[in-house]
């Protein structure tokens, strides 16, 4: 890693938000690391580094007690003829991102690669060997493709069941004696108190050292390093209860008179309930990532590829660009490509959110994961592996889910010092009870101290933001809205004005020539063919409209020379030996060309919402072309939905003020920035920010990129240019503007969910830690049991994750509005 690069990998051993903070600091301290972010909810790290190796990062995490998850990939490598070949393959593999080590066996023709889990795929490793000149493919190891979160949940369930089975007898005997006095007498008369306590000691000890051992193997080393975390609190609390009870059982003389009692059931129940909470949390977190798994599941495992004159099924990893692939009716397209034979309708709703199937014919592009209709189609693969649109969507969503929002900063600061503060409070609690408490003060002090340790829960604070982000961004992707940057969720919620580019964003981007107004002595066909010849070299939508009009009239286009684009004004060219100027009125003004004869026609055109294009030949005004672009059908409803949320609506366009005002009036737009040059769109965004507040800008073209980057939130229409999409924070997978309203809706609901989670996490700890310490005891005689504390602590994290899972029910604004009672629907704008 010599150049600055970004790695995204998984980490083990994170049991609370404090762990995530310490792991992040360990990574940040590695020389060469410029940015490190550890996400507790996903158990992943995102690291930007220049000069730091993956091995250094792995060693830093291991020393901190949070080892990076690693994976081993085996490749079959061919065409190695000597040990030097093996060395070259090894070097190529080691240079791949995230690789810790690589060993090539020349005799066996295999390579074994150890890498940080999640950083590099087997296909990418094979590609690295291929690029070094040695064909390679992933070896078929027969290992099942297990789901990590499902494994984690299953492991937690096993531990919970074992702990529950061992704890139940202890709980029934001890608590049954408290609730039903007859049980206590029966146990003493049949088994005896000493034997009963001994059996409780055995069972409780088994709970701590068997299913509960992870609290000690992780918590105690962290405590010894001076960096205690959640496992440390549980280990301290359970051990305190167990130790006091063990002394009471085997060395009662060490205790003051009247304080002999056992709390084995508290130690066992604490571990069992917290294990139960972790299982529920792991299961819920697995559901939080369901959207990503559904996206990944859209891609089939095999492809029917042409080989040796026939089609045969091959694993998806074996597909390479250029392969011809057959897709039968009802099957999914395995990778991205271009149709070379056949025609069909394709369901792209899982990618774009558009419900209507799209017609595909020879030359059209297809997207991996979409579903073929009733026709058989053969297409040529163009993008495979992580280059496909589906893989990029998954990668973008995964990266967004790992983002750290500004709203999380307070929680992060609290979590960083939370556990040491809780330990200090527990120590002070014990001291206060021993000093001021009634007899038996030692027993009461133990109960209060253990309850403080157990009830404190930094996990809820750590999960509050990332879990909601995971669910919200995943659901948004299913609705056709791709949050490329997770912090865009918060910035879009804070936006006060949404500004739209006009052409291709509010309009369809397919303008038509509606009118040609001529100066005296000028022929229509002559003007049109000359203008079309000059515009044929431009990609601008208005240029295409003029060229299409000339082609429809059957005009033959002459050659155009010296074609020069004049940014924000138009263009100039030399056609048939004559000088042409084509563009807006400001171009004519700049060149000193009088347009008085065409002024009235230009005003009339502009007031109809059409764009006037002036043509000057040899320095004289020759014609006025009226070009109009239809407003998108979805535009009005989308803008109405945004207005209903109290947002200001604006439009930024290079068109004349009259044309812009006509379209703004049709759509109910509040503020118009007209006649704006492409270079000035950024300043227009800055001006709106000063006037209205945070800005969200929606655009689709190359000239929108500066405005998209300047705005607090840049939203790119997915049918736009790659430059616009790269500059944006949010991408609408289709051209439907209802996606803007959906993005805002997801943003608001997700941020509301995050605030609810943070409030719960802080309120829970602020309210219950004092209760656990015993502040209610002087006035009510109530002292919280450590078992109840453990139950509350376990449920606090489950509550946060479950609340976040409600975001899975989010729908588009249109769908939710339909489901709402009519009386509660917002009235449409007049």
């Amino acid at each position: 890693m010599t150049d600055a690069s970004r790695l995204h990998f998984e980490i083990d051993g994170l049991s609370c938000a404090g762990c995530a903070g310490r792991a992040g600091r360990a990574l940040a301290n590695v020389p060469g690391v410029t940015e490190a972010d550890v996400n507790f909810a996903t158990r992943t790290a995102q690291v930007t580094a220049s000069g730091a190796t993956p091995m250094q990062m792995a060693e830093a995490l291991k020393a901190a007690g949070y080892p990076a998850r690693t994976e081993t990939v085996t490749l079959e490598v061919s065409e190695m003829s000597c040990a030097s070949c093996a060395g070259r393959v090894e070097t190529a593999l080691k240079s791949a991102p995230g690789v810790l080590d690589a060993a090539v066996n020349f005799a066996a023709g295999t390579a074994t690669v150890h890498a940080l889990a999640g950083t590099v795929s087997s296909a990418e490793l094979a590609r690295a060997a291929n690029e070094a000149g040695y064909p390679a493919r992933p070896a078929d190891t027969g290992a099942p493709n297990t789901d990590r979160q499902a494994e984690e949940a299953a492991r937690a369930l096993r531990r919970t069941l074992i702990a529950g089975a061992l704890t139940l007898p202890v709980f029934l005997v001890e608590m049954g004696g408290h609730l039903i006095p007859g049980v206590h007498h029966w146990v003493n008369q049949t088994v005896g108190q000493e034997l009963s306590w001994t059996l409780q000691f055995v069972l409780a000890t088994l709970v701590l050292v068997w299913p509960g051992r992870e609290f000690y193997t992780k918590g105690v080393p962290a405590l010894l390093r001076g960096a205690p975390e959640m496992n440390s609190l549980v280990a301290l609390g359970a051990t305190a209860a167990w130790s006091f009870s063990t002394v009471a059982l085997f060395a009662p003389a060490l205790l003051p008179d009247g304080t002999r009692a056992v709390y084995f059931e508290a130690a066992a129940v604490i571990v069992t309930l917290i294990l139960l909470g972790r299982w529920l949390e792991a299961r819920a977190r697995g559901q939080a990532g369901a959207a990503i798994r559904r996206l990944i599941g859209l891609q089939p495992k095999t492809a029917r590829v042409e080989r040796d004159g026939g089609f045969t099924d091959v694993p998806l990893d074996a597909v390479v660009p250029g392969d011809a692939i057959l897709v039968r009716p009802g099957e999914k397209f395995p990778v991205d490509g271009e149709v070379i034979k056949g025609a069909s309708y394709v369901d792209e709703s899982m990618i774009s959110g558009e419900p209507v199937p799209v017609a595909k014919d020879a030359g059209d592009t297809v997207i991996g994961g979409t579903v073929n209709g009733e026709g058989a189609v053969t297409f040529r693969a163009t993008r495979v592996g992580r280059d496909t649109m589906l893989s990029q969507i998954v990668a973008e969503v995964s990266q967004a889910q790992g983002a750290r929002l500004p709203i999380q900063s307070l929680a992060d600061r609290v979590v960083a010092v939370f556990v040491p503060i809780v330990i200090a409070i527990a120590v002070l609690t014990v001291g206060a009870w021993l000093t001021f408490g009634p007899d038996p003060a030692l027993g009461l002090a133990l109960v209060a101290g253990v309850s403080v340790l157990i009830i404190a829960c930094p996990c809820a604070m750590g999960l509050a933001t990332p879990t909601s982000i995971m669910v919200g961004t995943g659901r948004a992707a299913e609705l056709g809205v791709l949050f490329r940057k997770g912090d865009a969720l918060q910035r879009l919620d804070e936006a006060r004005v949404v500004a739209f580019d006009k052409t291709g964003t509010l309009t369809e981007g397919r303008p038509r020539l509606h009118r040609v107004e001529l100066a005296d002595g000028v022929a229509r066909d002559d003007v049109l063919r000359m203008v079309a010849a000059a515009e044929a070299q431009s990609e601008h939508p208005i240029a295409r409209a003029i060229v299409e009009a000339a082609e429809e009239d059957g005009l033959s286009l002459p050659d155009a020379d010296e074609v020069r684009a004049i940014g924000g004004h138009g263009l100039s060219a030399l056609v048939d030996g004559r000088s042409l100027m084509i563009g807006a009125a400001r171009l004519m003004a700049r060149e000193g060309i009088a347009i008085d004869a065409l002024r009235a026609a230009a005003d009339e055109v502009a007031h109809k919402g059409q764009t006037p294009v002036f043509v000057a030949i040899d320095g004289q005004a020759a014609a006025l072309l009226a070009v109009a672009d239809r407003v998108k059908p979805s535009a009005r409803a989308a803008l109405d939905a945004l207005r209903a949320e109290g947002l200001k609506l604006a439009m930024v366009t290079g068109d004349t003020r009259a044309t812009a005002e006509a379209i703004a009036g049709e759509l109910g737009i509040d503020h118009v920035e007209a006649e704006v040059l492409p270079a000035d769109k950024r300043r227009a965004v800055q001006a709106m920010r000063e006037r209205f507040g945070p800005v969200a800008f929606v655009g689709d073209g190359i000239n929108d990129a500066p405005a998209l980057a300047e705005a607090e939130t840049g939203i790119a229409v997915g049918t736009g240019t790659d430059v616009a999409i790269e500059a944006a924070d949010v991408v609408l997978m289709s051209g439907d503007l209802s996606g803007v309203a959906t993005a805002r809706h997801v943003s608001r609901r997700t941020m509301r969910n995050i605030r609810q989670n943070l409030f719960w996490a802080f309120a829970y700890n602020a309210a219950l830690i004092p209760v656990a310490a015993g502040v209610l005891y002087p006035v009510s005689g109530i002292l919280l049991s450590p078992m109840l504390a453990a139950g509350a602590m376990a449920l606090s994290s489950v509550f946060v994750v479950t609340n976040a899972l409600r975001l899975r029910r989010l729908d588009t604004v249109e769908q939710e509005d339909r489901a709402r009672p009519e009386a509660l629907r917002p009235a449409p704008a007049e």
Side-chain angles (χ1 to χ4, degrees):
M1 294 175 63
T2 53
D3 298 328
S5 58
R6 193 172 184 85
L7 288 180
H8 183 276
F9 54 92
E10 301 170 1
I11 299 179
D12 270 333
L14 300 179
S15 55
C16 69
C19 305
R22 281 182 283 277
R25 289 191 290 275
L27 286 169
N29 289 332
V30 175
V33 171
T34 57
E35 183 181 356
D37 188 9
V38 176
N39 188 309
F40 171 49
T42 59
R43 271 56 170 182
T44 58
Q46 292 192 69
V47 181
T48 302
S50 177
T53 66
M55 183 61 76
Q56 289 173 316
M57 298 178 199
E59 288 173 350
L61 287 171
K62 184 178 180 181
Y66 309 103
R69 282 180 66 91
T70 60
E71 57 186 6
T72 301
V73 177
T74 303
L75 303 176
E76 295 177 0
V77 186
S78 58
E79 298 184 15
M80 292 189 299
S81 56
C82 64
S84 296
C85 302
R88 282 189 283 273
V89 174
E90 202 167 280
T91 301
L93 293 173
K94 286 182 178 179
S95 66
V99 171
L100 298 169
D101 192 26
V104 177
N105 188 320
F106 169 56
T110 60
T112 303
V113 183
H114 300 283
L116 297 174
T119 56
V120 64
S121 68
S122 57
E124 287 174 317
L125 291 170
R127 193 178 305 129
N130 288 333
E131 290 172 354
Y134 303 94
R137 66 181 185 86
D140 184 9
T141 61
N145 184 19
T146 54
D147 178 71
R148 179 192 170 194
Q149 287 174 323
E151 283 183 354
E152 185 178 328
R155 189 164 57 247
L157 177 59
R158 285 195 300 271
R159 289 175 178 169
T160 302
L161 293 175
I162 293 170
L166 294 171
T167 299
L168 187 59
V170 180
F171 179 79
L172 291 177
V173 168
E174 194 62 28
M175 296 308 296
H178 289 303
L179 297 175
I180 306 173
V183 172
H184 180 72
H185 296 309
W186 177 79
V187 169
N188 286 340
Q189 291 173 1
T190 56
V191 178
Q193 178 177 281
E194 293 298 318
L195 181 56
S196 172
W197 284 4
T198 302
L199 292 174
Q200 291 181 42
F201 163 77
V202 172
L203 292 173
T205 303
L206 286 173
V207 171
L208 268 57
V209 302
W210 187 2
R213 68 182 180 278
E214 69 171 21
F215 298 119
Y216 295 91
T217 57
K218 296 176 182 177
V220 173
L223 191 62
L224 295 176
R225 289 194 303 268
E229 34 96 301
M230 190 65 228
N231 290 307
S232 305
L233 293 181
V234 178
L236 284 173
T239 301
W242 179 88
S243 300
F244 181 91
S245 304
T246 302
V247 171
L249 174 61
F250 295 110
L254 297 177
L255 299 176
D257 292 338
T259 61
R260 190 189 186 202
V262 296
Y263 300 94
F264 289 122
E265 84 285 354
V269 171
I270 285 169
V271 170
T272 302
L273 287 178
I274 293 175
L275 287 175
L276 174 64
R278 290 193 175 181
W279 168 62
L280 293 172
E281 178 191 323
R283 192 176 68 166
R285 281 192 289 105
Q287 294 170 346
I292 286 288
R293 289 195 297 277
R294 281 195 292 269
L295 287 172
I296 295 172
L298 293 175
Q299 200 165 42
K301 305 299 181 187
T302 62
R304 195 170 291 107
V305 181
E306 186 176 17
R307 294 280 191 269
D308 302 323
F311 287 94
T312 183
D313 288 344
V314 302
L316 203 59
D317 286 342
V319 177
V320 297
D323 278 344
I325 302 172
L326 173 65
V327 180
R328 294 170 179 163
E331 294 181 338
K332 292 179 180 178
F333 288 89
V335 296
D336 297 355
E338 182 178 306
V339 177
I340 56 178
K341 183 181 178 182
S344 184
Y345 282 88
V346 177
D347 179 4
E348 296 183 344
S349 60
M350 63 287 297
I351 300 294
S352 67
E354 295 279 5
V356 181
V358 181
K360 299 291 181 181
D361 207 335
D364 291 334
T365 59
V366 291
I367 301 170
T370 56
V371 180
N372 187 24
E374 297 180 354
V377 171
T378 302
F379 74 100
R380 191 172 307 284
T382 56
R383 295 191 295 182
V384 303
R386 293 196 176 185
D387 295 330
T388 64
M389 178 180 288
L390 182 60
S391 295
Q392 289 174 1
I393 290 173
V394 170
E396 294 279 11
V397 174
S398 297
Q399 184 169 337
Q401 290 181 340
R404 186 172 296 276
L405 270 59
I407 196 174
Q408 193 178 351
S409 58
L410 175 61
D412 290 340
R413 290 196 297 271
V414 172
V415 166
V417 297
F418 184 83
V419 174
I421 289 175
V422 169
I423 293 175
I425 292 173
V427 172
L428 290 173
T429 297
V430 171
W433 275 97
L434 289 176
T435 305
F436 305 107
D439 291 330
L442 181 59
L444 295 173
L446 175 69
V447 169
V450 170
S451 294
V452 168
L453 290 172
I454 297 305
I455 205 166
C457 185
C459 300
M461 287 183 281
L463 288 168
T465 301
T467 311
S468 297
I469 294 174
M470 283 179 65
V471 183
T473 54
R475 181 58 183 151
E478 293 179 323
L479 295 174
V481 177
L482 177 59
F483 281 87
R484 298 183 67 241
K485 301 171 185 176
D487 54 0
L489 277 168
Q490 182 167 346
R491 294 201 305 272
L492 184 54
D493 177 57
E494 294 168 349
R496 294 296 171 263
V497 57
V498 181
F500 293 84
D501 169 55
K502 181 180 77 71
T503 304
T505 303
L506 288 172
T507 63
E508 292 182 340
R510 294 191 297 272
R512 303 278 297 172
L513 180 64
H514 284 260
R515 175 179 172 183
V516 180
E517 188 75 20
L518 301 170
D520 293 339
V522 180
R524 181 184 186 279
D525 287 356
D526 288 343
V527 169
L528 190 54
R529 73 184 188 87
M530 293 174 69
V531 174
E535 297 282 14
Q537 299 184 34
S538 172
E539 290 297 319
H540 196 282
I542 290 178
R544 291 199 300 270
I546 295 171
V547 173
E548 288 172 3
E551 291 173 346
E552 288 172 2
D553 288 355
L555 301 177
S556 59
L557 305 185
D559 292 334
D561 300 315
E562 300 180 20
V563 178
R564 183 171 64 90
I566 306 170
H569 291 76
L571 60 80
S572 63
L574 195 64
V575 181
D576 286 345
R578 306 185 71 179
S579 173
L580 263 69
M581 285 284 177
I582 309 164
R586 55 180 171 268
L587 175 62
M588 302 296 122
R590 194 187 81 164
E591 298 297 324
I593 299 171
I595 56 173
D596 296 342
L598 300 171
R599 180 76 66 184
D603 292 342
E604 182 184 341
V605 164
H607 282 97
K608 291 181 179 179
Q610 299 173 344
T611 301
V613 180
F614 290 92
V615 180
I617 301 177
D618 294 332
Q620 298 295 318
L624 173 75
L625 310 182
V627 178
D629 191 4
R630 285 200 316 163
V631 172
K632 289 181 177 177
S634 61
R636 183 60 193 248
L639 268 61
D640 284 346
L642 293 170
R643 189 183 299 104
E645 292 197 3
L647 291 168
K648 206 83 171 168
L649 301 178
M651 181 172 67
V652 181
T653 178
D655 263 340
T656 65
R657 165 95 22 204
T659 301
E661 293 285 1
I663 293 177
E666 180 183 348
L667 293 174
I669 290 175
D670 309 300
H671 177 76
V672 175
E673 295 279 348
E675 300 180 15
V676 178
L677 299 177
D680 293 334
K681 284 190 175 182
R682 188 170 199 157
R683 283 193 285 274
V685 170
Q686 293 170 345
M688 283 187 286
R689 179 186 298 118
E690 292 177 3
R691 181 173 177 183
F692 302 115
V695 180
F697 185 86
V698 187
D700 73 319
I702 293 175
N703 61 355
D704 294 325
L708 289 166
E710 174 65 30
E712 276 73 14
T713 310
I715 303 175
V717 178
T719 52
T721 64
D722 290 343
V723 175
I725 290 172
E726 281 299 314
D729 307 300
V730 182
V731 178
L732 311 181
M733 300 308 295
S734 71
D736 192 332
L737 283 181
S738 64
V740 180
T742 298
R744 165 73 175 185
H745 181 58
V746 170
S747 168
R748 294 205 72 180
R749 291 287 297 275
T750 302
M751 291 307 301
R752 184 192 307 165
N753 191 272
I754 288 172
R755 293 184 186 102
Q756 291 168 350
N757 284 346
L758 287 173
F759 173 80
W760 164 261
F762 281 103
Y764 163 85
N765 284 288
L768 291 189
I769 288 178
V771 172
V775 295
L776 298 180
Y777 187 84
V779 295
S780 65
I782 295 175
L783 186 61
L784 193 67
S785 162
M787 291 183 288
L788 292 177
M793 182 274 206
L795 289 176
S796 65
S797 295
V798 175
F799 175 88
V800 166
V801 178
T802 304
N803 186 49
L805 289 177
R806 295 190 305 116
L807 293 172
R808 292 189 303 170
R809 299 197 294 269
L810 275 176
D811 214 328
T812 63
V813 176
E814 182 182 9
Q815 292 295 332
E816 291 200 2
D817 190 46
R818 287 176 184 170
R820 194 181 305 161
E822 189 169 349
L824 299 178
R825 297 179 190 173
E830 295 296 331

